[in-house]
PDB file of all heavy atoms in Angstrom:
ATOM      1  N   GLN A  59      12.805  17.460 -75.793  1.00  0.00           N
ATOM      2  CA  GLN A  59      14.213  17.215 -75.534  1.00  0.00           C
ATOM      3  C   GLN A  59      14.986  17.346 -76.846  1.00  0.00           C
ATOM      4  O   GLN A  59      14.545  16.862 -77.894  1.00  0.00           O
ATOM      5  CB  GLN A  59      14.416  15.821 -74.954  1.00  0.00           C
ATOM      6  CG  GLN A  59      13.953  15.667 -73.523  1.00  0.00           C
ATOM      7  CD  GLN A  59      14.971  16.198 -72.520  1.00  0.00           C
ATOM      8  OE1 GLN A  59      15.851  16.958 -72.875  1.00  0.00           O
ATOM      9  NE2 GLN A  59      14.840  15.813 -71.280  1.00  0.00           N
ATOM     10  N   TYR A  60      16.109  18.031 -76.786  1.00  0.00           N
ATOM     11  CA  TYR A  60      16.947  18.177 -77.969  1.00  0.00           C
ATOM     12  C   TYR A  60      18.358  17.738 -77.602  1.00  0.00           C
ATOM     13  O   TYR A  60      19.209  18.541 -77.224  1.00  0.00           O
ATOM     14  CB  TYR A  60      16.942  19.624 -78.458  1.00  0.00           C
ATOM     15  CG  TYR A  60      17.673  19.822 -79.771  1.00  0.00           C
ATOM     16  CD1 TYR A  60      17.248  19.173 -80.927  1.00  0.00           C
ATOM     17  CD2 TYR A  60      18.799  20.638 -79.842  1.00  0.00           C
ATOM     18  CE1 TYR A  60      17.914  19.346 -82.124  1.00  0.00           C
ATOM     19  CE2 TYR A  60      19.479  20.819 -81.031  1.00  0.00           C
ATOM     20  CZ  TYR A  60      19.025  20.173 -82.172  1.00  0.00           C
ATOM     21  OH  TYR A  60      19.705  20.341 -83.360  1.00  0.00           O
ATOM     22  N   PHE A  61      18.604  16.446 -77.706  1.00  0.00           N
ATOM     23  CA  PHE A  61      19.865  15.887 -77.239  1.00  0.00           C
ATOM     24  C   PHE A  61      21.037  16.187 -78.173  1.00  0.00           C
ATOM     25  O   PHE A  61      22.193  16.131 -77.749  1.00  0.00           O
ATOM     26  CB  PHE A  61      19.715  14.375 -77.050  1.00  0.00           C
ATOM     27  CG  PHE A  61      18.836  13.992 -75.895  1.00  0.00           C
ATOM     28  CD1 PHE A  61      17.545  13.538 -76.095  1.00  0.00           C
ATOM     29  CD2 PHE A  61      19.298  14.109 -74.593  1.00  0.00           C
ATOM     30  CE1 PHE A  61      16.730  13.204 -75.031  1.00  0.00           C
ATOM     31  CE2 PHE A  61      18.500  13.773 -73.520  1.00  0.00           C
ATOM     32  CZ  PHE A  61      17.203  13.319 -73.738  1.00  0.00           C
ATOM     33  N   LYS A  62      20.751  16.526 -79.430  1.00  0.00           N
ATOM     34  CA  LYS A  62      21.834  16.805 -80.369  1.00  0.00           C
ATOM     35  C   LYS A  62      22.611  18.071 -80.003  1.00  0.00           C
ATOM     36  O   LYS A  62      23.694  18.305 -80.524  1.00  0.00           O
ATOM     37  CB  LYS A  62      21.287  16.902 -81.789  1.00  0.00           C
ATOM     38  CG  LYS A  62      20.841  15.558 -82.363  1.00  0.00           C
ATOM     39  CD  LYS A  62      20.370  15.683 -83.799  1.00  0.00           C
ATOM     40  CE  LYS A  62      21.534  15.868 -84.744  1.00  0.00           C
ATOM     41  NZ  LYS A  62      21.101  15.854 -86.171  1.00  0.00           N
ATOM     42  N   LYS A  63      22.049  18.881 -79.107  1.00  0.00           N
ATOM     43  CA  LYS A  63      22.768  20.088 -78.681  1.00  0.00           C
ATOM     44  C   LYS A  63      24.061  19.741 -77.950  1.00  0.00           C
ATOM     45  O   LYS A  63      24.983  20.558 -77.876  1.00  0.00           O
ATOM     46  CB  LYS A  63      21.875  20.938 -77.775  1.00  0.00           C
ATOM     47  CG  LYS A  63      21.566  20.297 -76.427  1.00  0.00           C
ATOM     48  CD  LYS A  63      20.631  21.157 -75.594  1.00  0.00           C
ATOM     49  CE  LYS A  63      20.298  20.479 -74.264  1.00  0.00           C
ATOM     50  NZ  LYS A  63      19.345  21.279 -73.459  1.00  0.00           N
ATOM     51  N   PHE A  64      24.148  18.524 -77.414  1.00  0.00           N
ATOM     52  CA  PHE A  64      25.348  18.119 -76.693  1.00  0.00           C
ATOM     53  C   PHE A  64      26.468  17.698 -77.634  1.00  0.00           C
ATOM     54  O   PHE A  64      27.645  17.813 -77.289  1.00  0.00           O
ATOM     55  CB  PHE A  64      25.034  16.968 -75.736  1.00  0.00           C
ATOM     56  CG  PHE A  64      24.103  17.330 -74.623  1.00  0.00           C
ATOM     57  CD1 PHE A  64      22.819  16.821 -74.564  1.00  0.00           C
ATOM     58  CD2 PHE A  64      24.521  18.192 -73.607  1.00  0.00           C
ATOM     59  CE1 PHE A  64      21.962  17.154 -73.525  1.00  0.00           C
ATOM     60  CE2 PHE A  64      23.673  18.534 -72.569  1.00  0.00           C
ATOM     61  CZ  PHE A  64      22.384  18.013 -72.529  1.00  0.00           C
ATOM     62  N   GLY A  65      26.123  17.200 -78.806  1.00  0.00           N
ATOM     63  CA  GLY A  65      27.117  16.724 -79.758  1.00  0.00           C
ATOM     64  C   GLY A  65      26.489  15.747 -80.739  1.00  0.00           C
ATOM     65  O   GLY A  65      25.324  15.363 -80.597  1.00  0.00           O
ATOM     66  N   LYS A  66      27.267  15.312 -81.721  1.00  0.00           N
ATOM     67  CA  LYS A  66      26.723  14.467 -82.788  1.00  0.00           C
ATOM     68  C   LYS A  66      26.628  12.990 -82.393  1.00  0.00           C
ATOM     69  O   LYS A  66      25.818  12.249 -82.946  1.00  0.00           O
ATOM     70  CB  LYS A  66      27.587  14.595 -84.045  1.00  0.00           C
ATOM     71  CG  LYS A  66      27.606  15.987 -84.648  1.00  0.00           C
ATOM     72  CD  LYS A  66      28.535  16.035 -85.858  1.00  0.00           C
ATOM     73  CE  LYS A  66      28.593  17.439 -86.452  1.00  0.00           C
ATOM     74  NZ  LYS A  66      29.519  17.510 -87.612  1.00  0.00           N
ATOM     75  N   TRP A  67      27.478  12.561 -81.450  1.00  0.00           N
ATOM     76  CA  TRP A  67      27.563  11.137 -81.124  1.00  0.00           C
ATOM     77  C   TRP A  67      27.212  10.879 -79.664  1.00  0.00           C
ATOM     78  O   TRP A  67      27.477  11.712 -78.794  1.00  0.00           O
ATOM     79  CB  TRP A  67      28.975  10.619 -81.371  1.00  0.00           C
ATOM     80  CG  TRP A  67      29.333  10.471 -82.816  1.00  0.00           C
ATOM     81  CD1 TRP A  67      29.814  11.455 -83.644  1.00  0.00           C
ATOM     82  CD2 TRP A  67      29.252   9.288 -83.600  1.00  0.00           C
ATOM     83  NE1 TRP A  67      30.033  10.952 -84.904  1.00  0.00           N
ATOM     84  CE2 TRP A  67      29.699   9.614 -84.909  1.00  0.00           C
ATOM     85  CE3 TRP A  67      28.849   7.979 -83.349  1.00  0.00           C
ATOM     86  CZ2 TRP A  67      29.749   8.679 -85.937  1.00  0.00           C
ATOM     87  CZ3 TRP A  67      28.900   7.039 -84.377  1.00  0.00           C
ATOM     88  CH2 TRP A  67      29.343   7.390 -85.650  1.00  0.00           C
ATOM     89  N   ALA A  68      26.642   9.704 -79.438  1.00  0.00           N
ATOM     90  CA  ALA A  68      26.405   9.219 -78.079  1.00  0.00           C
ATOM     91  C   ALA A  68      27.104   7.875 -77.931  1.00  0.00           C
ATOM     92  O   ALA A  68      27.081   7.042 -78.845  1.00  0.00           O
ATOM     93  CB  ALA A  68      24.915   9.050 -77.805  1.00  0.00           C
ATOM     94  N   VAL A  69      27.737   7.656 -76.788  1.00  0.00           N
ATOM     95  CA  VAL A  69      28.402   6.388 -76.484  1.00  0.00           C
ATOM     96  C   VAL A  69      27.599   5.682 -75.403  1.00  0.00           C
ATOM     97  O   VAL A  69      27.286   6.275 -74.366  1.00  0.00           O
ATOM     98  CB  VAL A  69      29.849   6.614 -75.987  1.00  0.00           C
ATOM     99  CG1 VAL A  69      30.469   5.294 -75.543  1.00  0.00           C
ATOM    100  CG2 VAL A  69      30.687   7.255 -77.077  1.00  0.00           C
ATOM    101  N   VAL A  70      27.273   4.420 -75.649  1.00  0.00           N
ATOM    102  CA  VAL A  70      26.506   3.635 -74.674  1.00  0.00           C
ATOM    103  C   VAL A  70      27.259   2.349 -74.387  1.00  0.00           C
ATOM    104  O   VAL A  70      27.502   1.550 -75.298  1.00  0.00           O
ATOM    105  CB  VAL A  70      25.086   3.306 -75.187  1.00  0.00           C
ATOM    106  CG1 VAL A  70      24.302   2.539 -74.115  1.00  0.00           C
ATOM    107  CG2 VAL A  70      24.335   4.582 -75.579  1.00  0.00           C
ATOM    108  N   THR A  71      27.646   2.142 -73.137  1.00  0.00           N
ATOM    109  CA  THR A  71      28.299   0.886 -72.762  1.00  0.00           C
ATOM    110  C   THR A  71      27.225  -0.139 -72.388  1.00  0.00           C
ATOM    111  O   THR A  71      26.188   0.215 -71.842  1.00  0.00           O
ATOM    112  CB  THR A  71      29.262   1.077 -71.582  1.00  0.00           C
ATOM    113  OG1 THR A  71      28.522   1.476 -70.421  1.00  0.00           O
ATOM    114  CG2 THR A  71      30.304   2.143 -71.899  1.00  0.00           C
ATOM    115  N   GLY A  72      27.503  -1.397 -72.686  1.00  0.00           N
ATOM    116  CA  GLY A  72      26.501  -2.441 -72.432  1.00  0.00           C
ATOM    117  C   GLY A  72      25.242  -2.173 -73.241  1.00  0.00           C
ATOM    118  O   GLY A  72      24.132  -2.336 -72.743  1.00  0.00           O
TER     119      GLY A  72
END
Side-chain angles (χ1 to χ4, degrees):
Q59 287 279 18
Y60 186 61
F61 290 104
K62 289 183 74 174
K63 67 182 178 182
F64 295 111
K66 297 178 182 179
W67 287 85
V69 174
V70 182
T71 64

